[in-house]
Amino acid sequence: PEQAVLLDQLKNGAASRLVLIGIEGGSADTRADASRKLATTLRADTRFASVNNGDTAAYGDAGRFVFDHRYVLSPAVDAVRFEAAGLRTAIDDTVALIASPAGTRLKPLLFRDPTGETARIAEALTPSHAPRTEGGVWVSRDAPRAVLMATTIADGGDLDGQQAALAAVQAALVEAAPSLRLTISGSGAFGVDSRSRIKAEVERLAIFGSAIVVALLLAAFASLRSLGIALLPVATGVLAGIAATQLAFGQVHGMTLGFGTTLIGEAVDYAIYYLIQARPAP
């Protein structure tokens, strides 16, 4: 069961669908504005389940829900919270918060939430190591970069879906701020990049290897007819393998290509054996 859960998380868990986005270049205000525009565009895109950049303006509904249910959600509410002594202590704590630097934000809630339950919920939800914020959005701690986190609808193993989501991020930034630079990381980005690298290398090696095999066969048999006979098993095997893989799985993995290359060599060997045996005796 543990292995099944691990495989499921690797395929469609939150970490496998997470996209880390960085916006670089320009001034801090320009990056912050681009971050807000990019987040707004991506939140409207059906390829993303969530987009976060530290801007709390998009969570007004969540804040209203917390305020309306503050007495249910507050960790401070217990059996003595609303007795005389409990109320006195709670209101004294709220008055002390009003006198703090955050008092200007809490003062409008004083008469609607005199026991300060909303502030206690917010304190409980605030992480101990929150991302750095500048201009109302998340920024990097060690570089001039605005930071966003997005979660895709597509599974981590769906490389076509991941590629479409990454392309949507690139297009959205070009539309929001074409002068800024985009950096993307995450398992989906790694998978898409690995697939493109494997595809390019396989194509290059296949062309190079095929050219060598054809040249050797022509040099050995000096006949186009013999060359055609030698390549016939390879061609039919490749076509059959591609058709079967497309019908069953829809894509070819790099390991499959590695094993397939060795089988192609075997197919050429059988044709060479036949041509050697069919060659007329001197």
Side-chain angles (χ1 to χ4, degrees), residues 2 4 7 20 24 27 69 104-105 145 156 172 197 207 211 215 220 232 238-240 253:
E2 291 84 357
L7 290 175
L20 303 177
E24 302 175 342
S27 63
H69 299 81
T104 55
R105 294 187 176 184
R145 180 189 304 121
R197 289 174 181 267
I207 293 173
L232 182 61
V238 169
L239 291 176
H253 292 280

Side-chain angles (χ1 to χ4, degrees), residues 65-209:
F65 177 87
V66 169
F67 182 80
D68 292 341
H69 299 81
R70 59 192 180 277
Y71 296 114
V72 178
L73 300 174
S74 175
V77 174
D78 53 23
V80 298
R81 181 66 169 174
F82 298 105
E83 294 180 358
L87 284 172
R88 184 179 296 108
T89 301
I91 293 175
D92 288 344
D93 292 342
T94 303
V95 172
L97 285 174
I98 296 298
S100 69
T104 55
R105 294 187 176 184
L106 297 175
K107 189 174 181 179
L109 298 177
L110 177 61
F111 296 106
R112 300 179 63 191
D113 185 15
T115 58
E117 308 304 335
T118 306
R120 284 168 179 80
I121 296 172
E123 182 180 358
L125 294 176
T126 302
S128 57
H129 298 285
R132 179 187 172 193
T133 302
E134 184 176 327
V137 299
W138 289 337
V139 297
S140 172
R141 294 182 181 275
D142 54 6
R145 180 189 304 121
V147 180
L148 300 89
M149 294 176 58
T151 305
T152 63
I153 293 291
D155 292 343
D158 182 6
L159 295 184
D160 290 334
Q162 292 292 327
Q163 186 174 16
L166 298 179
V169 174
Q170 183 71 50
L173 182 66
V174 170
E175 181 180 355
S179 62
L180 301 182
R181 300 185 303 276
L182 180 71
T183 57
I184 300 179
S185 185
S187 60
F190 297 151
V192 171
D193 182 65
S194 297
R195 183 178 68 171
S196 63
R197 289 174 181 267
I198 291 172
K199 181 179 179 181
E201 291 178 2
V202 167
E203 289 178 350
R204 182 172 64 253
L205 292 175
I207 293 173
F208 182 70

